[in-house]
């Protein structure tokens, strides 16, 4: 078989090195593979929303306390089908009790749900001074007792709390999320990603703020005109990402010109292009004999 035919018939060849013990496996480069995606989605944000914001923070960080309400305000302004906000916790090693607050979050999540975890974050951030500054000489036991008083206001019992501390999964999840943040290149809190790109909100002037209006100045152009925004929002609500060509969406004809019967000329090869590819492969296989 001619080498050019192989190129035409096979788009790519992916060579995977064999493992030492002869068993195939995924290599995570030292990062534990989480059994569920990391992070906490705010108010059921749509994973297909055209704007995805990830914020890395920690519950003993004054800067995160100052910016956390702003990001929630931004998410509320756009709504879950236009903007999905996901919070990742990254306990900094020089904030002594940050990891404990993160660990407790995983203990109580099964009892209060994802939305309840945001109530917990708000409560800890409100009482941030109890876990930093002059209380740095407190024991871990005293800090755990302080956190118990918070989670009990959220409906978690003392038995559920202490039992969770004695099990491995909450601690493992907290460690995995810390390593995940390091893997993403996070070194401080808060750190922001917009649609996968790390960004740094810079005020217009020294000492100025970066609030809802400043975020809108960046995000509104990304969403386009009012008509485009409505299209993107409807597609996400229907379960499609913007740019696809759904067959069951009222926006299909608008978003994907040429889409008919659930297909699109942009994504479905025409008869002519298919014929050209087939003939090219045939000529490559048989050379000048045809």
């Amino acid at each position: 078989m001619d080498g050019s035919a192989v190129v035409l018939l096979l788009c790519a060849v992916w060579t995977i090195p064999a493992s030492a013990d002869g068993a195939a496996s995924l290599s995570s480069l030292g990062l534990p593979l989480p059994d569920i995606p990391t992070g906490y989605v705010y108010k059921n944000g749509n994973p297909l929303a055209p704007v995805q914001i990830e914020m890395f923070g920690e519950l003993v960080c004054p800067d995160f306390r100052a910016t956390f309400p702003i990001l929630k305000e931004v998410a509320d302004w756009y709504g879950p089908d236009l903007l999905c906000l996901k919070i990742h916790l990254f306990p900094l090693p020089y904030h002594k009790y940050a990891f404990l607050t993160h660990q407790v979050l995983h203990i109580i999540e099964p009892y209060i749900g994802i939305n309840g975890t945001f109530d917990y974050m708000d409560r800890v951030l409100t009482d941030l001074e109890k876990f930093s500054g002059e209380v740095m000489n407190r024991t871990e036991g005293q800090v755990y007792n302080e956190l118990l008083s918070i989670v009990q206001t959220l409906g978690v019992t003392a038995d559920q709390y202490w039992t969770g501390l004695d099990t491995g999964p909450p601690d493992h999840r907290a460690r995995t999320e810390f390593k995940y943040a390091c893997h993403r290149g996070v070194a401080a809190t808060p750190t922001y990603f917009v649609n996968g790109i790390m960004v740094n909100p810079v005020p217009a002037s020294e000492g100025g703020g970066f609030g809802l209006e400043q975020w809108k100045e960046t995000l509104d152009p990304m969403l386009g005109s009012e008509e485009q925004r409505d299209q993107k929002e409807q597609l996400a609500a229907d379960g499609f990402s913007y740019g696809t060509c759904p067959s069951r969406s009222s926006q299909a004809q608008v978003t994907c010109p040429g889409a008919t019967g659930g297909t699109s000329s942009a994504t479905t090869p025409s008869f002519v292009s298919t014929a050209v590819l087939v003939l090219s492969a045939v000529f490559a296989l048989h050379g000048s004999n045809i």
Side-chain angles (χ1 to χ4, degrees), residues 49-54 82 84 184 192-199 219 222:
V51 177
Q52 303 282 322
I53 295 182
E54 297 173 272
L82 278 179
C84 177
R184 293 283 300 273
Y192 309 86
F193 289 80
V194 175
N195 288 349
I197 304 300
M198 184 184 291
V199 298
L219 301 180
M222 293 172 56

Coordinates of all heavy atoms in Angstrom, one line a residue, residues 49-54 82 84 184 192-199 219 222:
A49 N -23.4 27.4 29.2 CA -23.5 28.8 29.1 C -22.3 29.3 28.3 O -21.2 28.8 28.4 CB -23.5 29.5 30.5
P50 N -22.4 30.4 27.5 CA -21.3 30.9 26.7 C -20.2 31.5 27.5 O -19.1 31.6 27.0 CB -22.0 31.9 25.8 CG -23.3 32.3 26.5 CD -23.7 31.1 27.2
V51 N -20.5 32.0 28.7 CA -19.4 32.5 29.5 C -19.3 31.6 30.7 O -20.2 31.4 31.5 CB -19.7 33.9 30.0 CG1 -18.7 34.4 30.9 CG2 -19.9 34.9 28.8
Q52 N -18.1 31.1 30.9 CA -17.7 30.2 32.1 C -16.7 30.9 32.9 O -15.5 31.2 32.4 CB -17.2 28.9 31.6 CG -18.2 28.1 30.7 CD -19.3 27.4 31.4 OE1 -19.1 26.9 32.5 NE2 -20.5 27.4 30.9
I53 N -17.0 31.3 34.1 CA -16.0 31.9 35.0 C -15.7 31.0 36.1 O -16.5 30.5 36.8 CB -16.6 33.3 35.6 CG1 -16.8 34.3 34.4 CG2 -15.6 33.8 36.6 CD1 -17.3 35.6 34.9
E54 N -14.4 30.8 36.3 CA -13.9 30.0 37.5 C -13.1 30.9 38.4 O -12.3 31.7 37.9 CB -13.0 28.9 37.0 CG -13.6 27.8 36.1 CD -12.6 26.8 35.6 OE1 -12.1 27.1 34.5 OE2 -12.4 25.8 36.2
L82 N -26.5 32.2 30.7 CA -25.5 33.0 30.0 C -24.1 33.0 30.7 O -23.1 33.1 30.0 CB -25.9 34.5 30.0 CG -26.9 34.9 28.9 CD1 -27.3 36.4 29.0 CD2 -26.4 34.6 27.5
C84 N -21.9 30.8 33.8 CA -21.8 29.8 34.8 C -20.6 30.1 35.7 O -19.5 30.3 35.2 CB -21.6 28.4 34.2 SG -21.3 27.1 35.4
R184 N -3.3 24.0 37.6 CA -3.8 25.1 36.7 C -3.0 26.3 36.7 O -3.2 27.3 36.1 CB -5.3 25.4 37.1 CG -6.3 24.4 36.8 CD -6.7 24.2 35.4 NE -7.3 25.5 34.9 CZ -8.6 25.8 35.0 NH1 -9.5 25.0 35.6 NH2 -9.1 26.9 34.5
Y192 N -8.8 34.2 38.7 CA -9.9 34.1 37.8 C -9.6 33.5 36.5 O -8.5 33.7 35.9 CB -10.5 35.5 37.5 CG -10.8 36.3 38.7 CD1 -9.8 37.1 39.3 CD2 -12.1 36.4 39.3 CE1 -10.1 38.0 40.4 CE2 -12.3 37.2 40.4 CZ -11.3 38.0 40.9 OH -11.6 38.8 42.0
F193 N -10.5 32.7 35.9 CA -10.4 32.2 34.6 C -11.7 32.5 33.9 O -12.8 32.2 34.4 CB -10.2 30.6 34.6 CG -8.8 30.2 35.0 CD1 -8.5 30.1 36.3 CD2 -7.9 29.9 34.1 CE1 -7.3 29.7 36.8 CE2 -6.6 29.4 34.5 CZ -6.3 29.3 35.8
V194 N -11.6 33.1 32.7 CA -12.8 33.3 31.9 C -12.7 32.4 30.6 O -11.8 32.6 29.8 CB -13.0 34.8 31.5 CG1 -14.2 35.0 30.6 CG2 -13.1 35.6 32.8
N195 N -13.6 31.5 30.5 CA -13.6 30.5 29.4 C -12.3 29.9 29.2 O -11.7 29.7 28.1 CB -14.0 31.2 28.1 CG -15.5 31.5 28.0 OD1 -16.3 31.1 28.9 ND2 -16.0 32.3 27.0
G196 N -11.7 29.5 30.4 CA -10.5 28.7 30.4 C -9.2 29.6 30.4 O -8.1 29.0 30.5
I197 N -9.3 30.9 30.2 CA -8.1 31.8 30.2 C -8.0 32.5 31.5 O -8.9 33.2 32.0 CB -8.2 32.8 29.0 CG1 -8.5 32.1 27.7 CG2 -7.0 33.7 28.9 CD1 -7.4 31.1 27.3
M198 N -6.8 32.5 32.1 CA -6.5 33.2 33.3 C -6.5 34.7 33.0 O -5.9 35.1 32.1 CB -5.2 32.8 33.9 CG -4.9 33.4 35.3 SD -3.3 33.0 36.0 CE -3.5 31.2 36.3
V199 N -7.3 35.4 33.9 CA -7.4 36.9 33.7 C -7.1 37.5 35.0 O -7.2 36.9 36.1 CB -8.8 37.3 33.2 CG1 -9.0 36.7 31.8 CG2 -9.9 36.9 34.1
L219 N -17.6 41.5 29.5 CA -18.4 40.3 29.1 C -19.4 40.6 28.1 O -19.8 39.8 27.2 CB -19.1 39.7 30.4 CG -18.1 39.2 31.5 CD1 -18.9 38.7 32.6 CD2 -17.1 38.2 30.9
M222 N -18.4 40.0 24.5 CA -18.3 38.6 24.3 C -19.6 38.0 23.9 O -19.7 37.1 23.1 CB -17.7 37.9 25.5 CG -16.2 38.3 25.8 SD -15.7 37.6 27.4 CE -16.0 35.8 27.1

